[in-house]
Amino acid sequence: MIRFPGLFILLIGLVPMRVFSQDDPFAGTRDRLRDGSGAEAVLASLGALSDPDLTYEGSRRIFEIEYQRLTGIALIMDDRKEEAREALKTSLSLAEEVRATGETSRILYYLSSGGFLLASLDGIGAIISRADELNRILDRALALDPSDGQIIYQKASGLAYPPRLFGGDPARAIDLVSPFLERGDLSRPVLFDLLTVYSYSKSKLGKYEEAVRGADRALALYPGNDNLMKNRNDWNRKVK
């Protein structure tokens, strides 16, 4: 049986916005989210970021938005839903404050990602009811920066993982991510997530051999990701 790769809304929120330098304070957290370490290790990596002078993309406010968003993801992983809700609300509130000073692709991404994550805590009905609004925000982000791998990943995830009844279109997801898979400037987390959505989309189209090849590339980056390994093995059993 092909295993659905976790909560697809959670996956949408994982990837960094663009290629980051080694100064990215969240680099360790991003790895922990993908390498099979678990929620406790993710939260510990965030807890280590206690320096009030830390910034993200040159901004303390952007640091706080991303800190709260990643905290929300980790708390969802740990099934601490109410704490996750508070962290995500804080991230969204801060993002709205920044948006009031000027709309950028980064802020629009945070509003879409955080909005989907928050809706996921209330179930599929809440996701469906907010999907149009949040996708419009995401589309504006994509229009502002169509070359950004993270925005492409979030858009593709919304096409790859849901059933067709709820807007799923794996062929379109493949078309979106494929041009990015050979780029040499993508960070490891970005490439991993793009390969994951590519592989899952291929599996939904019955192209299991291609799905396995994509998963193998992703697992070479994070071999401890048990969820993707299980999916990869399921797909491999279906290769003819």
Side-chain angles (χ1 to χ4, degrees):
M1 179 182 69
I2 295 176
R3 293 172 175 83
F4 190 80
L7 180 65
F8 80 88
I9 296 299
L10 175 59
L11 291 174
I12 286 173
L14 294 184
V15 193
M17 189 64 174
R18 52 173 61 87
V19 179
F20 295 107
S21 72
Q22 293 181 349
D23 294 328
D24 174 17
F26 300 110
T29 300
R30 301 188 201 290
D31 286 337
R32 299 292 83 74
L33 282 166
R34 295 164 178 82
D35 66 8
S37 296
E40 185 175 343
V42 177
L43 289 167
S45 71
L46 288 166
L49 302 177
S50 58
D51 185 346
D53 294 326
L54 283 173
T55 62
Y56 184 51
E57 293 202 345
S59 168
R60 179 63 189 181
R61 182 54 58 92
I62 298 298
F63 175 93
E64 292 168 350
I65 292 169
E66 180 68 338
Y67 182 92
Q68 294 296 333
R69 189 183 73 93
L70 292 173
T71 298
I73 292 171
L75 291 168
I76 291 173
M77 290 171 62
D78 207 29
D79 200 30
R80 293 158 63 180
K81 293 183 179 181
E82 291 310 310
E83 292 173 81
R85 191 185 307 278
E86 291 307 309
L88 292 169
K89 284 182 176 179
T90 299
S91 179
L92 287 167
S93 177
L94 292 171
E96 287 286 7
E97 290 179 11
V98 175
R99 184 189 192 184
T101 68
E103 198 168 82
T104 65
S105 60
R106 166 51 61 97
I107 290 303
L108 293 172
Y109 161 72
Y110 283 129
L111 291 170
S112 177
S113 173
F116 273 119
L117 287 163
L118 189 60
S120 75
L121 293 171
D122 295 319
I124 189 65
I127 295 171
I128 293 170
S129 69
R130 294 209 61 198
D132 286 346
E133 171 200 354
L134 295 171
N135 278 318
R136 282 194 295 270
I137 294 172
L138 179 61
D139 286 341
R140 290 206 299 277
L142 189 60
L144 288 171
D145 195 350
S147 67
D148 191 293
Q150 195 285 329
I151 299 175
I152 290 293
Y153 171 74
Q154 182 166 348
K155 184 70 176 179
S157 295
L159 296 167
Y161 297 125
R164 290 191 181 275
L165 180 63
F166 299 124
D169 188 344
R172 188 176 169 211
I174 291 167
D175 289 342
L176 281 172
V177 304
S178 291
F180 289 76
L181 299 182
E182 304 307 323
R183 276 175 48 175
D185 62 336
L186 296 178
S187 67
R188 181 168 64 156
V190 171
L191 181 56
F192 175 85
D193 291 338
L194 290 171
L195 285 165
T196 299
V197 76
Y198 171 86
S199 300
Y200 189 77
S201 297
K202 286 290 187 179
S203 78
K204 288 187 76 173
L205 295 175
K207 298 180 179 181
Y208 297 111
E209 188 170 356
E210 294 174 58
V212 169
R213 286 201 297 267
D216 284 344
R217 282 188 64 189
L219 288 165
L221 301 171
Y222 292 102
N225 192 293
D226 290 339
N227 187 71
L228 181 57
M229 179 62 77
K230 290 173 184 176
N231 281 332
R232 183 260 182 218
N233 291 338
D234 285 338
W235 301 330
N236 193 48
R237 284 191 286 270
K238 297 187 178 185
V239 172
K240 296 181 181 179

